[in-house]
C-alpha cells in the first residue's frame, strides 16, 4: 500500500472556489433515510474520493449531484449559485458527467449509439439535421482505444461486451463529456490490471486539465493512488474529510469499515484484507 | 442497428463476418423473408390475376391502411410501450372528422388539422397516464380501447340523430381542393399512359383497369421512409431505441424519456387519425365499427416486422413488410381455392413464427447464451 504514487496530485488550494458545493444533503426514500445531512464539495483540478461501506449512501449521494435524485433537504451550489438539477440532462448540460454504478447502458444498442446516447452529434441543418453516425463511430473507437480497449467495431451491441469492456465504455463516455466535473461510481470494479491503471491515469489527466473528479471506490489502494481528499460516509452521514497525507491507509481503511470491526477481522484473516 | 462500420484496423479476434450473418442481425430480415415466402406460396397456389397491376393494388390497399397504423405501433413498441387503443382511435377520430365536416361544415383545410390535433391530444392523455402512473401501457390503453369505442358509439348517435353511421361525407368533401391528397387515386395520367403503352391491363374501351395509385399507398410508403430515417439517422431515433431499451439508463444518460414516449403516443394516435380521414372520405361515411380489431393486426404486423414486445428493438421497414404480408394473405386467399377462414390460422402461425424468429435474433444481437 504505497502512498507515493506516480501521479502529480492536485494542489487543493482552499482559496479556489468549489465547482459544486453540497450542503447538508438529506435524502429520504419513504421512511428510509438514505442520507442524513452530508456536506461535500469538489474543486477544479482535484480528485475527491468518496469512501464507505456497502449501503453507506455513496451512490445515492452522487445521484443527487447528477440530477437523478432531488435532495429532500439541503442545498446544492453550482459555481457559487444555488442550483437544482431536475433531470440528469440538466446536470450534463452544466458539465457534470457520471459513470453510474449500473453503468446506464442499453444492451441492445451499439457501442457508438450508447456512447452518444442523449448527446448525439449532428450534421446538416434544419430538416436535414441528422445523427452523424460516422463521426460517432470514429470518436467512439478513438476514445475506447485511449482507454486501452480495442473494440471489434463501433456497431457491436453493448450486450455482447464483457463486463469490463462495458465499464470502460461508460468511463470513456463520461470522460469525453465531463467538462467540469467527472463522477465515477466504482468505475474499476470489473477492470483488469491494465485497464485499472489506465482509468487511474485518466483521472490524473483530466484532473490536470482542471476537471474536478469525484471517485467512489472500495479499494483503498486505488483511492490513495489518485485521491487528493477523502470523505468517508457511514450510514448516511459523513465521518469527516481528510486531505492527502493527513491520514494513513490503515486509518482510512478502518474508517471505511465503520470503525473497529475490521481490526478484529484482520486478526482472524492474518492481515490479508 | 444499421451503422455501417468505417474501416478500422482489423482485429485478430473477429472472424470475417459473412454477409448472411450480418443480414441475420437486421430486425426487418424476418419480414422480408416472409414476403418472399408468401409471394412464392401465392405464385404457386393463387390465380395469376393476383400479381397483375390490379391484383397488386387490391392487396396493397388494405396493406397500406393497416401499415400506416403498424408503423406508428412499431415506433411506439420500439420506444417500449403499447397502444391497444389505436383501433378504437380510428373510429373516434373518424367520428370527430365526420362531425367537423358534417355537423360543423368545416372545409378540409380546417377539419383535417383539427382532427390531427384532437387525436394527438387523446394520444397525449394515454401517454401521460402511462408515464405518470408508471402502469404498463398495456392496461391503460386497454381501458382506452373500450372508452374510445364507447364514446364513438355515443357520439355517432348524437351527431346522426340516433344512428350508428354518419353519412354524406363524400358529398360534403367532393369538391374540396384538399380531398385528392386523402382519397382516390394518384397519377391517373401516368396509369393512362401505361395502359396506352400496353404495359398494364385495360378494359375493352382502352381505359386502364387500374385508374391510378390509391393515395393511401403513397402515404404508407412515405411514412415508412420517414419513420426509418428518423429511427436510424436522427438523435430522436436514438432516443426512441434508448427509451425502449432501458428507460432508467436512458434517463440517466440524459435522454428525455418521458417526452419521447408521450410524443410516440401522439404519433401513433395521428397515424390512426390519418387512416380514419382516408377511409372516411373514401367510404363517404363513418361508423362505430371502423378500425375494429386493428390494434391487434397492427401489433402483429409490427412484430412480424421484427419489433420485440419488450421494446428497444425493431424497425419501421419491417412493419412495412409485415403489413404487406398481412394484405397479401387476407386478399390472396380469395384468389386461391382455399376457404377464406384459413386466414386466421395463417395469421396466428405467422405471428408465432415471427416471435420465435425475433427471439433468436435478439439473442444473437445481445450475445445472450
Ligand atoms: N430508490 C431507493 N429506494 C429506497 N431505498 C433506497 C433507494 N436507493 C437507495 N436506497 C437505500 O439507501 C441506502 C444507500 O444506498 P446506496 O446505493 O447509496 O449505497 P452505496 O453506498 O452506494 O453502497 P454500495 O457500496 O453497495 O454501492 C441503502 O440502504 C439503500 O437500501
Ligand atoms: Mg453504490
Amino acid at each position: 500500500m504505497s502512498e507515493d504514487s506516480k501521479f502529480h496530485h492536485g494542489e487543493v488550494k482552499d482559496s479556489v472556489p468549489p465547482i459544486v458545493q453540497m450542503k447538508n444533503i438529506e435524502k429520504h426514500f419513504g421512511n428510509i433515510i438514505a442520507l442524513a445531512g452530508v456536506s461535500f464539495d469538489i474543486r477544479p483540478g482535484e480528485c475527491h474520493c468518496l469512501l464507505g461501506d456497502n449501503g453507506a449512501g455513496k451512490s445515492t449521494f452522487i445521484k443527487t449531484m447528477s440530477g437523478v435524485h432531488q435532495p429532500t433537504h439541503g442545498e446544492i451550489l453550482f459555481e457559487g449559485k444555488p442550483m437544482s438539477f431536475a433531470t440528469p440532462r440538466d446536470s450534463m448540460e452544466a458539465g457534470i458527467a457520471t459513470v453510474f454504478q449500473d453503468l446506464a447502458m442499453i444492451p441492445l444498442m451499439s457501442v457508438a449509439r450508447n456512447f452518444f446516447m442523449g448527446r448525439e452529434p449532428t450534421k446538416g441543418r434544419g430538416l436535414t439535421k441528422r445523427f452523424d453516425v460516422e463521426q460517432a463511430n470514429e470518436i467512439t473507437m478513438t476514445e475506447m482505444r485511449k482507454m486501452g480497449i480495442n473494440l471489434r467495431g463501433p456497431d457491436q451491441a453493448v450486450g455482447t461486451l464483457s463486463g469490463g469492456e462495458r465499464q470502460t465504455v461508460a468511463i470513456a463516455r463520461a470522460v469525453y463529456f465531463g467538462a467540469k466535473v467527472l463522477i465515477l461510481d466504482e468505475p474499476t470494479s470489473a477492470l483488469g490490471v491494465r485497464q485499472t491503471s489506465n482509468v487511474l491515469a485518466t483521472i490524473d489527466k483530466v484532473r490536470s486539465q482542471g476537471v474536478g473528479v469525484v471517485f467512489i471506490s472500495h479499494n483503498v489502494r486505488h483511492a490513495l493512488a489518485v485521491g487528493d481528499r477523502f470523505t468517508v460516509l457511514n450510514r448516511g452521514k459523513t465521518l469527516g474529510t481528510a486531505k492527502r497525507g493527513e491520514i494513513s491507509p490503515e486509518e482510512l481503511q478502518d474508517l471505511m469499515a465503520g470503525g473497529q470491526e475490521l481490526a478484529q477481522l484482520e486478526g482472524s484473516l492474518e492481515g490479508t484484507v | 442497428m444499421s451503422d455501417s462500420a468505417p474501416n478500422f484496423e482489423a482485429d485478430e479476434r473477429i472472424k470475417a463476418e459473412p454477409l448472411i450473418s450480418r443480414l441475420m442481425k437486421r430486425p426487418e430480415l424476418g419480414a422480408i423473408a416472409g414476403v418472399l415466402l408468401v409471394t412464392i406460396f401465392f405464385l404457386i397456389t393463387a390465380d395469376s390475376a393476383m400479381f397483375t397491376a390490379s391484383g397488386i393494388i387490391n392487396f396493397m390497399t388494405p396493406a397500406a391502411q393497416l401499415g400506416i397504423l403498424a408503423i406508428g405501433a412499431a415506433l411506439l413498441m420500439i420506444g417500449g410501450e403499447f397502444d391497444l387503443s389505436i383501433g378504437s382511435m380510428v373510429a373516434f377520430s373518424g367520428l370527430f372528422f365526420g362531425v367537423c365536416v358534417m355537423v360543423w361544415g368545416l372545409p378540409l383545410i380546417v377539419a383535417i388539422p383539427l382532427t390531427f390535433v384532437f387525436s394527438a391530444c387523446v394520444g397525449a392523455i394515454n401517454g401521460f397516464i402511462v408515464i405518470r402512473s408508471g402502469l404498463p401501457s398495456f392496461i391503460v390503453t386497454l381501458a382506452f380501447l373500450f372508452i374510445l369505442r364507447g364514446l364513438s358509439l355515443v357520439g355517432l348517435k348524437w351527431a346522426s340523430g340516433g344512428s350508428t353511421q354518419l353519412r354524406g361525407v363524400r358529398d360534403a368533401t367532393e369538391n374540396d381542393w384538399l380531398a385528392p391528397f386523402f382519397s382516390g387515386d394518384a397519377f391517373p395520367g401516368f396509369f393512362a399512359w401505361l395502359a396506352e403503352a400496353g404495359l398494364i391491363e385495360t378494359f375493352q374501351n382502352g381505359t386502364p383497369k387500374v385508374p391510378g395509385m390509391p393515395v393511401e399507398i403513397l402515404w404508407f410508403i412515405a411514412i415508412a421512409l420517414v419513420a426509418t430515417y428518423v429511427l436510424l439517422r436522427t438523435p430522436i431515433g436514438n432516443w426512441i431505441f434508448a427509451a425502449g431499451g432501458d428507460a432508467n439508463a436512458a434517463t440517466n444518460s440524459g435522454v428525455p424519456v418521458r417526452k419521447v414516449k408521450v410524443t410516440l403516443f401522439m404519433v401513433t394516435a395521428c397515424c390512426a387519425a390519418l387512416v380514419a380521414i382516408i377511409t372516411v372520405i373514401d367510404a363517404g361515411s363513418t361508423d362505430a365499427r371502423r378500425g375494429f380489431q386493428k390494434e391487434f393486426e397492427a401489433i402483429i404486423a409490427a412484430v412480424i416486422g421484427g419489433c420485440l414486445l419488450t421494446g428497444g428493438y425493431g424497425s419501421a421497414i419491417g412493419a412495412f413488410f409485415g403489413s404487406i404480408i398481412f394484405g397479401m394473405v387476407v386478399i390472396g386467399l380469395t384468389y386461391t381455392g382455399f376457404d377464406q377462414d384459413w386466414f386466421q390460422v395463417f395469421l396466428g402461425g405467422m405471428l408465432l413464427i415471427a416471435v420465435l424468429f425475433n427471439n433468436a435474433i435478439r439473442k444473437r444481437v445481445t450475445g445472450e447464451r
Side-chain angles (χ1 to χ4, degrees), chain A residues 53-60 62 101 185-186 216 218:
Chain A
D53 225 355
N54 291 126
K58 306 180 293 296
S59 298
T60 308
I62 60 107
Q101 199 166 7
D185 193 349
E186 294 188 41
I216 298 181
H218 281 293

CSV table of all heavy atoms in Angstrom, one decimal, chain A residues 53-60 62 101 185-186 216 218, ligand 2:
chain,number,residue,atom,x,y,z
A,53,ASP,N,-18.8,2.0,3.4
A,53,ASP,CA,-19.2,0.6,3.3
A,53,ASP,C,-20.4,0.4,2.3
A,53,ASP,O,-21.0,1.4,1.9
A,53,ASP,CB,-19.7,0.2,4.7
A,53,ASP,CG,-19.2,-1.1,5.1
A,53,ASP,OD1,-18.6,-1.8,4.2
A,53,ASP,OD2,-19.5,-1.5,6.2
A,54,ASN,N,-20.8,-0.8,2.1
A,54,ASN,CA,-22.0,-1.0,1.2
A,54,ASN,C,-23.2,-0.4,1.9
A,54,ASN,O,-23.4,-0.6,3.1
A,54,ASN,CB,-22.2,-2.5,1.1
A,54,ASN,CG,-21.2,-3.2,0.2
A,54,ASN,OD1,-20.5,-4.1,0.6
A,54,ASN,ND2,-20.9,-2.6,-1.0
A,55,GLY,N,-24.0,0.3,1.1
A,55,GLY,CA,-25.2,0.8,1.7
A,55,GLY,C,-25.0,2.1,2.5
A,55,GLY,O,-25.9,2.6,3.2
A,56,ALA,N,-23.8,2.6,2.5
A,56,ALA,CA,-23.5,3.9,3.2
A,56,ALA,C,-24.2,5.1,2.6
A,56,ALA,O,-24.4,6.1,3.3
A,56,ALA,CB,-22.0,4.1,3.2
A,57,GLY,N,-24.5,5.0,1.4
A,57,GLY,CA,-25.2,6.1,0.7
A,57,GLY,C,-24.4,6.8,-0.3
A,57,GLY,O,-24.8,7.9,-0.8
A,58,LYS,N,-23.3,6.2,-0.7
A,58,LYS,CA,-22.4,6.9,-1.7
A,58,LYS,C,-23.2,7.1,-3.1
A,58,LYS,O,-23.1,8.2,-3.6
A,58,LYS,CB,-21.2,6.1,-2.0
A,58,LYS,CG,-20.4,5.7,-0.7
A,58,LYS,CD,-19.2,4.9,-1.0
A,58,LYS,CE,-19.5,3.5,-1.6
A,58,LYS,NZ,-20.2,2.6,-0.7
A,59,SER,N,-23.8,6.0,-3.6
A,59,SER,CA,-24.4,6.2,-4.9
A,59,SER,C,-25.6,7.2,-4.8
A,59,SER,O,-25.8,8.0,-5.7
A,59,SER,CB,-24.9,4.8,-5.3
A,59,SER,OG,-23.9,3.9,-5.5
A,60,THR,N,-26.4,7.1,-3.7
A,60,THR,CA,-27.5,8.0,-3.5
A,60,THR,C,-27.0,9.4,-3.5
A,60,THR,O,-27.6,10.3,-4.1
A,60,THR,CB,-28.2,7.7,-2.2
A,60,THR,OG1,-28.5,6.3,-2.2
A,60,THR,CG2,-29.5,8.5,-2.1
A,62,ILE,N,-24.1,10.7,-4.9
A,62,ILE,CA,-23.7,11.3,-6.2
A,62,ILE,C,-24.9,11.4,-7.1
A,62,ILE,O,-24.9,12.2,-8.0
A,62,ILE,CB,-22.6,10.5,-6.8
A,62,ILE,CG1,-22.9,9.0,-7.0
A,62,ILE,CG2,-21.3,10.6,-6.0
A,62,ILE,CD1,-23.2,8.7,-8.5
A,101,GLN,N,-23.1,3.4,-11.1
A,101,GLN,CA,-22.7,2.0,-10.7
A,101,GLN,C,-23.2,1.0,-11.6
A,101,GLN,O,-22.6,0.0,-12.0
A,101,GLN,CB,-23.1,1.8,-9.3
A,101,GLN,CG,-22.4,0.7,-8.6
A,101,GLN,CD,-22.6,0.7,-7.1
A,101,GLN,OE1,-23.4,1.4,-6.6
A,101,GLN,NE2,-21.9,-0.2,-6.4
A,185,ASP,N,-18.6,6.2,-10.1
A,185,ASP,CA,-19.1,5.4,-9.0
A,185,ASP,C,-18.6,3.9,-9.2
A,185,ASP,O,-19.1,3.2,-10.1
A,185,ASP,CB,-20.7,5.4,-9.1
A,185,ASP,CG,-21.3,4.8,-7.8
A,185,ASP,OD1,-20.5,4.2,-7.0
A,185,ASP,OD2,-22.5,4.9,-7.6
A,186,GLU,N,-17.6,3.6,-8.5
A,186,GLU,CA,-16.9,2.3,-8.6
A,186,GLU,C,-16.6,1.9,-10.0
A,186,GLU,O,-17.1,0.9,-10.5
A,186,GLU,CB,-17.8,1.2,-7.9
A,186,GLU,CG,-17.9,1.5,-6.4
A,186,GLU,CD,-18.5,0.3,-5.7
A,186,GLU,OE1,-18.2,-0.8,-6.0
A,186,GLU,OE2,-19.3,0.6,-4.8
A,216,ILE,N,-15.5,7.2,-6.4
A,216,ILE,CA,-16.0,6.3,-5.4
A,216,ILE,C,-15.3,4.9,-5.6
A,216,ILE,O,-15.2,4.4,-6.7
A,216,ILE,CB,-17.5,6.1,-5.5
A,216,ILE,CG1,-18.3,7.4,-5.3
A,216,ILE,CG2,-18.0,5.0,-4.5
A,216,ILE,CD1,-19.8,7.3,-5.4
A,218,HIS,N,-14.1,1.1,-3.4
A,218,HIS,CA,-14.0,0.3,-2.2
A,218,HIS,C,-12.5,-0.1,-2.0
A,218,HIS,O,-12.2,-0.8,-1.0
A,218,HIS,CB,-14.8,-1.0,-2.3
A,218,HIS,CG,-16.3,-0.8,-2.0
A,218,HIS,ND1,-16.7,-0.4,-0.8
A,218,HIS,CD2,-17.3,-0.8,-2.9
A,218,HIS,CE1,-18.1,-0.3,-0.9
A,218,HIS,NE2,-18.4,-0.5,-2.1
C,2,LIG,MG1,-23.2,2.3,-4.7
